[in-house]
Amino acid sequence: MIEESYLPLITWMVALLAVPAILVLRKNPNAREGATFVAALAKFALVLAMLPAVMAGRVLRFSFGEILPGIPLEFRVDGLGMLFALVATSLWILTTLYAVGYMRGLKEHDQTRFFTCFAVSISATIGVAFAGNLFTLYLFYEMLSLSTYPLVTHHGDKAARSGGRTYLSHLLGTSVAFVLPAMIYCWVKSGGDMSFTDGGFLAGKIGAGDGLIVLLAFTLGFAKSGLMPFHSWLPNAMVAPTPVSALLHAVAVVKVGVFCILRVFTGVFGTDTLESLDITTAVTYLAGFTVIASSLIALTQDNLKRRLAFSTIGQLAYIILGVSFLSANGITGSVMHIAMHAFGKITLFFCAGAIFIATGKKYISQMVGIGRQMPVTMTAFLLGSLSIIGLPPFGGAWSKWYLFLGALDAEQMLMAVILVISSLLNIAYLLPVAVNALFRKPPADSGDDATAGIREAPVACVIPLSITAVAGFVIFLFPGLVYDLAQLLISNG
Amino acid sequence: MTEHYPVLILLVPLFGALIATLLGRERQLACWLTALISLGVSSIFAIGNICVLLASGEGELRYRMGGWNENSGYEVGIELRIDMLAALVVAVVVSVGLINTIFAKTRVAGEMREKVAFFYALNQLLIVGLCGIIMTNDAFNLYVLIEITSLTSYALIAMGNRRAALSSFNYIIMGTIGASFYLLGVGYLYIKTGSLNIDDIHTVLQSGKLWGDASITIAFIMIMIGLWIKMALFPLHGWLPNAYSYAPGVVGSFMAPLMTKVMVYVMLRVMLWLFGGAYIYTSGLVWGELVVWMSIIAIVAGSFLALARTDIKKMLTYLIVAEVGYMVGGAWLADGAGLVGSMYHILSDAAMTFCLFLAASIVILRTGDHRLTAFNGLFARMPLTMIGFTIGGLSMIGLPPTCGFFSKWYLISGGIAAGHWSYVAALLFSSLVNAVIFFRIFERAYFGNIKGVVDEQLPDDGDGAPPLTLERVPLSMLIPLFLAGISVLLVGFYNQTLVSWLMDVIPPL
């Protein structure tokens, strides 16, 4: 079943190899962005090259040295890692295109630094996706925190600086304070073994009391998941340029957080162990609370990116909620939601950025009637919203369906009700944005000329958001790949 | 030849010191070359020592000074004993000394002027003293060597600026008290056991007959307090911050990483090889719990005090106070993993402190500012220096793949295995405080001037400011920093090898 291969290593390295190229070509923006494109395409192709083997139920493995006693640096590509890598690398290509349009459209400074850090961040994300043991996971988790800091603080003004402080203090602080000791505790308890295994390497080695503490330490410590109460870094990170918010803070970074938690549930403890120890209730309630609370906060936000950020917090909590049910349907829903939410939310962020480039508007209250100027963008926004809400015929419907089934399987009626209420709240905070923009006239005093005709953002921005919006529909028709990769996790666990 | 390596490590710099003195003040370059060559040769012997140890497979080397033995009519004499821990620490001391000497080339001429020869002589003597402390197997000889290092370091510190003389005097008082405590303790041991050889004392003590004896208890307490003063365990740390930060830059960058670490090594030696684990942890004064709590206080207090400093070097010296707490706590957890963590941290802390002090020296020299404001905008203007500083800083915080992460790993796993959760919490707390301390600096270095902070020393780093160009930092300073930064990473990367060596050193508890 396990197959030694260099492909995971090469896939991980491709983005890093782009860094020297980006730096060398810094004087020539077109060549510089060309390097990023080549790396992004190569990375996606390499991930695709591994897909057949993974679909056939094999696990590709690469391990290097022994960093700590008994613990090598290890890459391991299984269904879950493959799904995440597919989502992250495919969206990196689109985001690069979008970023070129966005950064040039706004004539941003320090674009070389921007693209360099972006490439390093993607590399770290793939490192997390392919990590074969807890130590490797932690290594790339920290690498991601550090490499995204310059992106969050890109503007270098006071808001960026304070956003960056919140960002690092939350992400670094929780990982050092909670994950590090929990990880070392696991190392001591398991006798030096930290490889993710199908039944969990802690199975049978940990009791209910310390198990609960370790589980909570991991769940709260991987604060990239945005679980309350350590969520406030995410809205504050919205000071970053929009491509960063789109790929990193709707897909890569935040999904790394929930991905780590999924790994802890399935690879560290194992769902059977968690079920017999009966310690996941706390996580379920924490996630349920986050789902409702973040949706309510999202309703009050007038800044579009901040509203989307709180929406992300809620959607991520769905994923944690689903896995905490420990049922096959719940986990299927969680894994699928990683992909479905990614396509939906990145569309919304792309749209938010496009609106900002074309009109300079950040606040929802200013966007009434804007659909006349930007029909493509706002239509995409509508489609993305519907996918996030979970309405057919969009991808989000599938994952929400399985999450709901998972709640019923686990006999968590309260959580099932919360899922329903949350979907209603999603409608309340997302739909009015698109509907007001598309179907209402701009207010007379807004200074917008209703007859000005179409003024879209640059084509480089409009194409990616159209693709992701359509992808949300396509993935509803063909959810097979996502579903099968999710099933790999369950059949093995 | 190979059997003489231990003594050659000592003799070469000793003669180097003599030659440097003889060369006098006029021949600065010759003095520097002498120091460089003698320490270089000494480093080769130190590394040779490690190789001999690995090849022999016996775990320790012994060297009798002058070749004394029972047959030649002498039953006592000075013996050197080198196990892997000692060999590693000696290698660290000598190589840090060597790298620091390279670093000193341009600095010393500017900082000390007519005292250049004395600096090189004293610096080599200090290294001889430290290596002697590490290798000697004789409790009284250890005292003599502690005094040698102390006397040379008093003189070296006093070479600094105006405030250095007073802080050196302060150090003399505290240091002498510490040494006296140690000497009294050794006196008690000599009276009760009739020997000064560490092995002999250990053999007598191990029988257990003397364990309840008040003299032994007092000897133990006195030796420990003496060593704690010398290693600056909070609250006995008062002498350290001023002494190290007002000392000349090159003196600070040598003493800060090594002096306290060597004293921690002596504490381990006294605990495990003189009194023995059985006495320390189970049968004598059962102090473990108390001392670990003292170390927790040291860690927390050191971190807070460092956080409150705006002076770069003061801040770093208080971090040393916290780091001493790490090692003392690890040593007293009565757990194998804690001991290994403590030993490994001696190596890794030496590497990262050295790296930070070198970088700080360069920054202070180039900007002329000794406060944190010196770092404003430095990532753009002194990128190489800042890379070195960043590696050291990340290691202090404990982020992989630097060595600081791995020493925290072993220390925390020791704390978990011993069930000492408050020690674990203190280590994590200190990591978080270090993160605040260093990211505060990184933020300055990354963004440049922060509004509201008056900054007279630096030109405004707006667009028009002339960048501090790299060529103004001589290679003789950048290369040592580079080597120190690499060693931080290498000690981390080879942690597994080092730890497996150190595991074999620990005697059965």
Side-chain angles (χ1 to χ4, degrees), chain B residues 255-317:
Chain B
M255 298 206 337
L258 294 180
M259 296 289 277
T260 52
K261 256 56 79 180
V262 169
M263 285 302 150
V264 171
Y265 167 85
V266 174
M267 182 189 74
L268 284 167
R269 195 104 164 80
V270 166
M271 286 167 67
L272 298 176
W273 285 277
L274 198 148
F275 286 95
Y279 179 81
I280 299 288
Y281 297 128
T282 49
S283 312
L285 275 179
V286 184
W287 264 14
E289 188 69 18
L290 180 71
V291 181
V292 175
W293 274 104
M294 283 168 62
S295 77
I296 291 170
I297 294 170
I299 294 170
V300 174
S303 302
F304 268 128
L305 289 168
L307 187 61
R309 299 298 125 172
T310 52
D311 182 292
I312 302 168
K313 284 205 176 164
K314 281 274 176 63
M315 181 204 84
L316 293 177
T317 53

Coordinates of all heavy atoms in Angstrom, one line a residue, chain B residues 255-317:
Chain B
M255 N 32.0 36.1 26.7 CA 31.6 35.6 28.1 C 30.1 35.3 28.2 O 29.8 34.3 28.9 CB 32.0 36.7 29.1 CG 33.5 36.9 29.1 SD 34.2 37.5 30.6 CE 33.0 38.3 31.4
A256 N 29.3 36.0 27.6 CA 27.9 35.8 27.7 C 27.4 34.4 27.3 O 26.7 33.7 28.0 CB 27.1 36.9 26.9
P257 N 27.9 33.9 26.2 CA 27.5 32.5 25.8 C 28.1 31.5 26.7 O 27.6 30.4 26.7 CB 27.9 32.4 24.3 CG 28.6 33.6 23.9 CD 28.7 34.5 25.1
L258 N 29.3 31.7 27.2 CA 30.0 30.6 27.8 C 30.1 30.5 29.3 O 29.9 29.4 29.9 CB 31.5 30.6 27.2 CG 31.6 30.4 25.7 CD1 33.0 30.4 25.3 CD2 31.0 29.0 25.4
M259 N 30.3 31.6 30.0 CA 30.6 31.6 31.4 C 29.5 30.9 32.2 O 29.7 29.9 32.9 CB 30.8 33.0 32.0 CG 32.0 33.7 31.4 SD 33.5 33.0 32.0 CE 33.7 33.8 33.5
T260 N 28.2 31.3 32.0 CA 27.2 30.7 32.7 C 27.0 29.2 32.4 O 26.7 28.4 33.2 CB 25.8 31.5 32.5 OG1 25.6 31.5 31.1 CG2 25.9 32.8 33.1
K261 N 27.2 28.9 31.1 CA 26.9 27.6 30.6 C 28.0 26.6 31.2 O 27.6 25.5 31.6 CB 27.1 27.5 29.1 CG 25.8 27.4 28.3 CD 24.8 28.5 28.7 CE 25.1 29.8 28.0 NZ 24.1 30.9 28.3
V262 N 29.2 27.1 31.3 CA 30.3 26.3 31.9 C 29.9 26.0 33.4 O 30.1 24.9 33.9 CB 31.6 26.9 31.7 CG1 32.7 26.2 32.6 CG2 32.0 26.9 30.3
M263 N 29.4 27.0 34.0 CA 29.0 26.8 35.4 C 27.9 25.8 35.6 O 27.8 25.1 36.5 CB 28.7 28.2 36.1 CG 29.9 29.0 36.3 SD 31.0 28.1 37.4 CE 32.6 28.8 36.9
V264 N 26.9 25.9 34.6 CA 25.9 24.9 34.6 C 26.5 23.5 34.5 O 26.1 22.5 35.2 CB 24.8 25.1 33.5 CG1 23.9 24.0 33.4 CG2 24.1 26.4 33.8
Y265 N 27.5 23.4 33.6 CA 28.2 22.1 33.4 C 28.8 21.7 34.7 O 28.7 20.5 35.1 CB 29.3 22.3 32.3 CG 30.2 21.1 32.3 CD1 30.0 20.0 31.6 CD2 31.4 21.2 33.0 CE1 30.8 18.9 31.6 CE2 32.3 20.1 33.1 CZ 32.0 19.0 32.3 OH 32.8 17.9 32.3
V266 N 29.4 22.6 35.5 CA 30.1 22.3 36.7 C 29.0 21.8 37.7 O 29.2 20.8 38.4 CB 30.8 23.5 37.3 CG1 31.3 23.1 38.7 CG2 32.0 23.9 36.4
M267 N 27.8 22.4 37.7 CA 26.8 22.0 38.6 C 26.4 20.5 38.2 O 26.2 19.7 39.1 CB 25.6 22.9 38.4 CG 24.4 22.5 39.4 SD 22.9 23.4 39.1 CE 22.4 22.7 37.6
L268 N 26.2 20.2 36.9 CA 25.9 18.9 36.5 C 27.0 17.9 37.0 O 26.7 16.8 37.5 CB 25.7 18.8 35.0 CG 24.5 19.4 34.4 CD1 24.6 19.5 32.9 CD2 23.3 18.5 34.8
R269 N 28.2 18.3 36.8 CA 29.3 17.5 37.2 C 29.3 17.2 38.7 O 29.4 16.0 39.1 CB 30.6 18.2 36.9 CG 31.8 17.5 36.9 CD 32.3 17.2 35.4 NE 33.6 16.7 35.4 CZ 34.0 15.5 35.7 NH1 33.1 14.6 36.0 NH2 35.3 15.1 35.7
V270 N 29.1 18.2 39.5 CA 29.0 18.0 41.0 C 27.8 17.2 41.3 O 27.9 16.3 42.2 CB 28.9 19.4 41.6 CG1 28.5 19.3 43.1 CG2 30.2 20.2 41.5
M271 N 26.7 17.4 40.7 CA 25.5 16.6 41.0 C 25.7 15.1 40.7 O 25.4 14.3 41.5 CB 24.3 17.2 40.2 CG 23.8 18.5 40.8 SD 22.6 19.2 39.6 CE 21.3 18.0 39.7
L272 N 26.1 14.9 39.5 CA 26.0 13.5 39.0 C 27.3 12.7 39.3 O 27.2 11.5 39.5 CB 25.7 13.5 37.5 CG 24.4 14.1 37.1 CD1 24.3 14.1 35.6 CD2 23.2 13.3 37.7
W273 N 28.4 13.4 39.2 CA 29.7 12.6 39.3 C 30.4 12.8 40.7 O 31.2 12.0 41.0 CB 30.6 13.0 38.2 CG 30.2 12.4 36.9 CD1 30.4 11.1 36.5 CD2 29.4 13.0 35.9 NE1 29.8 10.9 35.2 CE2 29.2 12.0 34.8 CE3 28.8 14.2 35.7 CZ2 28.5 12.3 33.7 CZ3 28.1 14.5 34.6 CH2 27.9 13.5 33.6
L274 N 30.0 13.9 41.4 CA 30.6 14.0 42.7 C 29.7 13.5 43.8 O 30.1 12.5 44.5 CB 31.0 15.5 42.9 CG 32.0 15.8 44.0 CD1 32.8 17.0 43.7 CD2 31.4 15.9 45.4
F275 N 28.5 14.0 43.9 CA 27.6 13.5 44.9 C 26.9 12.3 44.4 O 26.6 11.4 45.2 CB 26.6 14.6 45.4 CG 27.3 15.7 46.2 CD1 27.7 16.9 45.7 CD2 27.4 15.5 47.6 CE1 28.3 17.8 46.5 CE2 28.0 16.4 48.4 CZ 28.4 17.6 47.9
G276 N 26.6 12.3 43.2 CA 25.9 11.1 42.6 C 24.4 11.3 42.6 O 23.8 11.9 43.5
G277 N 23.7 10.7 41.6 CA 22.3 10.9 41.4 C 21.5 10.4 42.6 O 20.5 10.9 43.0
A278 N 22.0 9.3 43.2 CA 21.3 8.7 44.4 C 21.2 9.7 45.5 O 20.1 9.8 46.1 CB 22.0 7.4 44.8
Y279 N 22.3 10.4 45.8 CA 22.3 11.3 46.9 C 21.4 12.5 46.5 O 20.6 13.0 47.3 CB 23.7 11.8 47.2 CG 23.8 12.8 48.3 CD1 23.7 12.4 49.6 CD2 23.9 14.2 48.0 CE1 23.8 13.4 50.6 CE2 24.0 15.1 49.0 CZ 23.9 14.7 50.3 OH 24.0 15.6 51.3
I280 N 21.6 13.0 45.3 CA 21.0 14.3 44.9 C 19.5 14.1 44.9 O 18.7 15.0 45.4 CB 21.4 14.7 43.5 CG1 22.9 14.9 43.5 CG2 20.7 15.9 43.0 CD1 23.4 16.2 44.2
Y281 N 19.0 13.0 44.2 CA 17.6 13.0 43.9 C 16.8 12.2 45.0 O 15.6 12.4 45.1 CB 17.4 12.3 42.6 CG 18.0 13.1 41.4 CD1 18.8 12.5 40.5 CD2 17.7 14.4 41.3 CE1 19.4 13.2 39.5 CE2 18.2 15.2 40.2 CZ 19.1 14.5 39.3 OH 19.6 15.3 38.3
T282 N 17.4 11.3 45.7 CA 16.6 10.5 46.6 C 17.0 10.4 48.0 O 16.1 10.4 48.9 CB 16.5 9.0 46.0 OG1 17.9 8.6 45.8 CG2 15.8 8.9 44.7
S283 N 18.3 10.5 48.3 CA 18.6 10.1 49.7 C 19.2 11.3 50.5 O 19.1 11.2 51.7 CB 19.7 9.0 49.6 OG 19.4 8.0 48.8
G284 N 19.7 12.3 49.9 CA 20.3 13.3 50.7 C 19.2 14.3 51.1 O 18.1 14.0 51.5
L285 N 19.6 15.6 50.8 CA 18.6 16.7 50.9 C 17.7 16.5 49.7 O 18.2 16.5 48.6 CB 19.3 18.0 50.7 CG 19.9 18.7 51.9 CD1 20.5 20.0 51.5 CD2 18.8 18.9 53.0
V286 N 16.4 16.2 49.9 CA 15.6 16.0 48.7 C 15.1 17.4 48.3 O 14.1 17.9 48.7 CB 14.5 15.0 48.9 CG1 13.7 14.8 47.6 CG2 15.1 13.7 49.4
W287 N 15.9 18.0 47.4 CA 15.8 19.4 47.1 C 15.1 19.6 45.7 O 14.7 20.7 45.4 CB 17.1 20.1 46.9 CG 17.6 20.8 48.1 CD1 17.1 20.7 49.4 CD2 18.7 21.7 48.2 NE1 17.8 21.5 50.2 CE2 18.8 22.2 49.5 CE3 19.6 22.2 47.2 CZ2 19.7 23.1 49.9 CZ3 20.5 23.1 47.6 CH2 20.6 23.5 49.0
G288 N 15.0 18.5 45.0 CA 14.6 18.6 43.6 C 13.4 19.5 43.4 O 13.5 20.5 42.6
E289 N 12.4 19.3 44.1 CA 11.1 20.1 43.9 C 11.4 21.6 44.2 O 11.0 22.4 43.4 CB 10.1 19.6 45.0 CG 8.7 20.2 44.8 CD 8.0 19.7 43.6 OE1 8.5 18.7 43.0 OE2 7.1 20.4 43.2
L290 N 12.2 21.9 45.2 CA 12.5 23.3 45.6 C 13.3 23.9 44.5 O 13.0 25.0 44.0 CB 13.2 23.3 46.9 CG 13.6 24.7 47.4 CD1 12.4 25.4 47.8 CD2 14.7 24.6 48.5
V291 N 14.3 23.2 44.0 CA 15.2 23.8 43.0 C 14.5 24.0 41.7 O 14.7 25.0 41.0 CB 16.5 23.0 42.8 CG1 17.4 23.7 41.8 CG2 17.2 22.8 44.1
V292 N 13.6 23.1 41.3 CA 12.9 23.3 40.1 C 12.0 24.5 40.2 O 11.9 25.3 39.3 CB 12.0 22.0 39.7 CG1 11.2 22.3 38.5 CG2 12.9 20.8 39.5
W293 N 11.4 24.7 41.4 CA 10.6 25.9 41.6 C 11.4 27.2 41.5 O 11.0 28.2 40.9 CB 9.8 25.8 42.9 CG 8.5 25.1 42.7 CD1 8.2 23.8 43.1 CD2 7.4 25.6 42.1 NE1 7.0 23.5 42.8 CE2 6.4 24.6 42.1 CE3 7.0 26.8 41.4 CZ2 5.1 24.7 41.6 CZ3 5.8 26.9 40.9 CH2 4.8 25.9 40.9
M294 N 12.7 27.1 42.0 CA 13.6 28.2 41.9 C 13.8 28.5 40.4 O 13.9 29.7 40.0 CB 14.9 28.0 42.6 CG 14.8 28.1 44.1 SD 16.3 27.5 44.9 CE 17.5 28.5 44.3
S295 N 14.0 27.4 39.7 CA 14.3 27.6 38.2 C 13.1 28.2 37.5 O 13.2 29.0 36.6 CB 14.7 26.3 37.6 OG 13.6 25.5 37.3
I296 N 11.9 27.8 38.0 CA 10.7 28.4 37.3 C 10.7 29.9 37.6 O 10.4 30.7 36.7 CB 9.5 27.7 37.9 CG1 9.4 26.2 37.4 CG2 8.2 28.4 37.5 CD1 8.4 25.4 38.1
I297 N 11.0 30.2 38.8 CA 11.0 31.7 39.2 C 12.0 32.4 38.3 O 11.8 33.5 37.8 CB 11.2 31.9 40.7 CG1 10.1 31.3 41.5 CG2 11.5 33.3 41.0 CD1 10.3 31.2 42.9
A298 N 13.2 31.7 38.2 CA 14.3 32.3 37.3 C 13.8 32.5 35.9 O 14.0 33.6 35.3 CB 15.5 31.4 37.4
I299 N 13.1 31.5 35.4 CA 12.7 31.6 34.0 C 11.7 32.8 33.8 O 11.8 33.6 32.9 CB 12.0 30.3 33.5 CG1 13.1 29.2 33.5 CG2 11.4 30.4 32.2 CD1 12.5 27.8 33.3
V300 N 10.7 32.8 34.7 CA 9.6 33.8 34.6 C 10.2 35.2 34.8 O 10.0 36.1 34.0 CB 8.5 33.5 35.6 CG1 7.5 34.6 35.5 CG2 7.8 32.2 35.2
A301 N 11.0 35.3 35.9 CA 11.6 36.6 36.2 C 12.5 37.1 35.1 O 12.4 38.3 34.7 CB 12.3 36.6 37.5
G302 N 13.4 36.2 34.6 CA 14.3 36.6 33.6 C 13.6 37.0 32.3 O 13.9 38.1 31.7
S303 N 12.5 36.3 32.0 CA 11.7 36.7 30.8 C 11.1 38.1 31.0 O 11.2 39.0 30.1 CB 10.6 35.7 30.5 OG 11.2 34.5 30.4
F304 N 10.5 38.3 32.1 CA 9.9 39.6 32.4 C 10.9 40.8 32.4 O 10.7 41.8 31.8 CB 9.1 39.6 33.7 CG 7.7 39.2 33.6 CD1 7.2 38.2 34.4 CD2 6.9 39.9 32.6 CE1 5.8 37.9 34.2 CE2 5.6 39.5 32.5 CZ 5.0 38.5 33.3
L305 N 12.0 40.5 33.0 CA 13.0 41.6 33.1 C 13.6 41.9 31.7 O 13.8 43.0 31.4 CB 14.2 41.1 34.0 CG 13.8 41.1 35.5 CD1 14.9 40.4 36.3 CD2 13.6 42.5 36.0
A306 N 13.7 40.8 30.9 CA 14.2 41.1 29.5 C 13.2 41.9 28.7 O 13.5 42.8 28.0 CB 14.5 39.7 28.8
L307 N 11.9 41.6 29.0 CA 10.9 42.3 28.2 C 10.9 43.8 28.6 O 10.5 44.6 27.7 CB 9.5 41.6 28.6 CG 8.3 42.1 27.9 CD1 8.4 41.7 26.4 CD2 7.0 41.4 28.5
A308 N 11.3 44.1 29.8 CA 11.2 45.5 30.2 C 12.4 46.3 29.7 O 12.4 47.5 30.0 CB 11.1 45.5 31.7
R309 N 13.4 45.7 29.2 CA 14.6 46.4 28.8 C 14.5 47.1 27.4 O 13.9 46.5 26.5 CB 15.9 45.5 28.8 CG 16.2 44.8 30.0 CD 16.5 45.8 31.1 NE 15.6 45.4 32.2 CZ 15.7 45.9 33.4 NH1 16.6 46.8 33.7 NH2 14.8 45.5 34.4
T310 N 15.1 48.2 27.3 CA 15.1 48.9 26.0 C 16.6 48.9 25.5 O 16.8 49.3 24.3 CB 14.6 50.3 26.0 OG1 15.3 51.0 27.1 CG2 13.1 50.4 26.3
D311 N 17.5 48.4 26.3 CA 18.9 48.4 25.9 C 19.1 47.0 25.3 O 18.8 46.0 26.0 CB 19.8 48.6 27.1 CG 21.2 48.6 26.8 OD1 21.8 47.5 26.5 OD2 21.8 49.7 26.9
I312 N 19.7 46.9 24.1 CA 19.8 45.6 23.5 C 20.5 44.6 24.3 O 20.1 43.5 24.5 CB 20.5 45.8 22.1 CG1 19.8 46.8 21.2 CG2 20.7 44.4 21.4 CD1 20.6 47.2 20.0
K313 N 21.7 45.0 24.8 CA 22.5 44.0 25.5 C 21.9 43.6 26.8 O 22.0 42.5 27.3 CB 24.0 44.5 25.7 CG 24.7 44.5 24.4 CD 26.2 44.4 24.7 CE 27.0 44.2 23.4 NZ 28.4 44.6 23.5
K314 N 21.4 44.6 27.5 CA 20.7 44.3 28.8 C 19.6 43.3 28.6 O 19.5 42.3 29.3 CB 20.1 45.6 29.4 CG 21.1 46.5 30.1 CD 21.3 46.1 31.5 CE 22.3 46.9 32.2 NZ 22.0 48.4 32.3
M315 N 18.9 43.5 27.5 CA 17.8 42.6 27.2 C 18.3 41.2 27.0 O 17.8 40.2 27.6 CB 17.1 43.1 26.0 CG 15.9 42.2 25.6 SD 15.7 42.5 23.8 CE 16.8 41.3 23.1
L316 N 19.4 41.1 26.3 CA 20.0 39.8 26.0 C 20.5 39.1 27.3 O 20.4 37.9 27.5 CB 21.1 39.9 25.0 CG 20.7 40.2 23.5 CD1 21.9 40.4 22.6 CD2 19.7 39.2 23.0
T317 N 21.1 40.0 28.2 CA 21.7 39.4 29.4 C 20.6 38.8 30.3 O 20.7 37.8 30.9 CB 22.5 40.4 30.2 OG1 21.7 41.5 30.4 CG2 23.8 40.8 29.5

